[in-house]
Amino acid sequence: LMARRLKAARWAYDEKAANVAVAVGITPQLLSKYENGKIYADEMFLVNFAELTGCPLDWIFLGKITSEMPPAMAVRIALFDRG
């Protein structure tokens, strides 16, 4: 589930995977493995990803949409989950 939430958060952030990967200091291939659940993301990546995208760690880990999440991101995540 966390892998799907990572992918949804990146999609909601509206940026290509390669650009997000570079911005957080990993390769696009590693990001793909995280987003497809092939390996678990490490803590440093998750912190950097959350800071970059504005997506709270509560949502990445637990799927909880809180007031910390930008409203536009929450809407886009909801649309991702329907698609």
Side-chain angles (χ1 to χ4, degrees), residues 26-42:
I26 63 170
T27 65
Q29 294 83 4
L30 184 56
L31 179 58
S32 177
K33 288 179 182 178
Y34 290 162
E35 288 186 352
N36 291 304
K38 295 188 187 235
I39 59 174
Y40 288 106
D42 66 48

Side-chain angles (χ1 to χ4, degrees), residues 4-67:
R4 181 160 172 76
R5 288 191 293 264
L6 281 173
K7 192 173 209 173
R10 187 199 30 92
W11 184 82
Y13 181 61
D14 198 24
E15 188 59 68
K16 293 180 182 176
N19 295 340
V20 170
V22 169
V24 296
I26 63 170
T27 65
Q29 294 83 4
L30 184 56
L31 179 58
S32 177
K33 288 179 182 178
Y34 290 162
E35 288 186 352
N36 291 304
K38 295 188 187 235
I39 59 174
Y40 288 106
D42 66 48
E43 293 87 5
M44 198 61 185
F45 162 78
L46 292 169
V47 169
N48 291 337
F49 181 86
E51 288 178 356
L52 174 70
T53 63
C55 186
L57 289 171
D58 279 348
W59 190 78
I60 294 170
F61 281 107
L62 306 171
K64 289 184 179 181
I65 293 180
T66 66
S67 61

